[in-house]
Amino acid sequence: NITVQGIYQLTIQLGLLFFGVQFLTDCSKGYGTDGDCQKLEPNGQGKDRSGNYRDTVIYNTFVWMQLFNEINCRRIFNELNMMKGVFNNPIFVGIWVFSACVQFASVQFGGKVFHTVPLDVYDWVSCIAVGAFSLVLGIFQRFVPICCVSSAAPPPEEDQSQFVTVAVPGGAGSRASGLTARLLDEGL
C-alpha cells in the first residue's frame, strides 16, 4: 500500500514540478476567479509575484493526497469499503476537517507565512480531485497480492498465551494481543 501510494504521489509531484508550467494557468483575481487567465512563466510564477503559483499547486496537491490517503489507511485488513465507520470516529473526522480548513487558509490567506499565492477555483478542484484519486487507487491496490519474502532465519519463539484469534472479514482469523484485539473487535 505504501509503495503504490508513494509511486502515485511522487509521479504527480514530479510531473507538476517539471511539466506544470505547460498546462497550469493563473485565473485568480485576489481571492476569487475571473476570466483573465495568464500562462505561468517558466519559473512557475503567475499574476501574483509574491509567491510561486506552480509551487502552491504542488503543495496543495500534496496535502490533499495525504488527507485522502488518511481515509485509505483506516482499514488495515484490505477491506474494500474504507469509508465503513469513518463517521463513528469523531476524533478522526474532526482532525480531518480541521486539517482541510487549515490547508484552505494556508493557501488562500497564508501567503507571507507559507509563501503561497491564492489559487483559482479550477486549480482548487483539480488539486482536490487528484488527491481524491488516492481513494480510487486505494481500492485497486487492495487487489494487489502482498508477497511474503521468507527470511533465512527462523521466526523467534513467542509466548502464544498472550494472543487471541480475532475474526476478520472473509472468515479468516488473525492473531492479535491486548489493545489490538479490543480495537479490532470494536471495529476501530
Side-chain angles (χ1 to χ4, degrees), residues 9 13 56-70 96 99-104 106-107 124 127-128 131 134:
Q9 292 181 13
Q13 295 295 293
T56 302
V57 171
I58 291 171
Y59 163 65
N60 197 31
T61 303
F62 174 76
V63 171
W64 284 104
M65 286 190 292
Q66 299 310 312
L67 286 172
F68 283 105
N69 196 37
E70 287 176 12
W96 199 94
S99 298
C101 292
V102 167
Q103 176 60 19
F104 178 79
S106 71
V107 168
W124 266 105
C127 290
I128 294 172
S134 291

Side-chain angles (χ1 to χ4, degrees), residues 17-186:
L17 180 64
F18 293 114
F19 305 109
V21 295
Q22 296 175 7
F23 59 86
L24 289 172
T25 56
D26 184 356
C27 298
S28 63
K29 180 180 181 182
Y31 297 111
T33 300
D34 67 2
D36 182 28
C37 297
Q38 174 183 329
K39 283 197 68 71
L40 300 183
E41 294 180 9
N43 66 359
Q45 285 193 324
K47 294 178 186 178
D48 189 346
R49 302 288 181 191
S50 65
N52 190 301
Y53 197 86
R54 180 201 56 204
D55 292 349
T56 302
V57 171
I58 291 171
Y59 163 65
N60 197 31
T61 303
F62 174 76
V63 171
W64 284 104
M65 286 190 292
Q66 299 310 312
L67 286 172
F68 283 105
N69 196 37
E70 287 176 12
I71 296 171
N72 272 331
C73 294
R74 290 189 70 252
R75 310 310 295 172
I76 58 175
F77 289 114
N78 281 338
E79 297 97 337
L80 285 179
N81 186 3
M82 76 275 292
M83 297 298 288
K84 180 181 178 186
V86 73
F87 296 110
N88 295 340
N89 189 340
I91 295 173
F92 177 81
V93 173
I95 290 171
W96 199 94
V97 169
F98 178 75
S99 298
C101 292
V102 167
Q103 176 60 19
F104 178 79
S106 71
V107 168
Q108 292 301 105
F109 309 111
K112 293 200 186 301
V113 176
F114 296 100
H115 301 287
T116 59
V117 294
L119 297 180
D120 60 55
V121 173
Y122 309 112
D123 286 328
W124 266 105
V125 169
S126 298
C127 290
I128 294 172
V130 169
F133 189 73
S134 291
L135 294 175
V136 176
L137 195 60
I139 291 171
F140 287 116
Q141 76 188 21
R142 283 164 168 73
F143 293 106
V144 175
I146 299 173
C147 299
C148 298
V149 178
S150 63
S151 63
E157 294 295 323
E158 296 177 347
D159 178 15
Q160 301 296 318
S161 65
Q162 66 181 348
F163 290 99
V164 295
T165 301
V166 180
V168 293
S174 175
R175 293 181 349 160
S177 64
L179 178 62
T180 305
R182 195 176 102 226
L183 290 173
L184 290 173
D185 284 341
E186 294 175 5

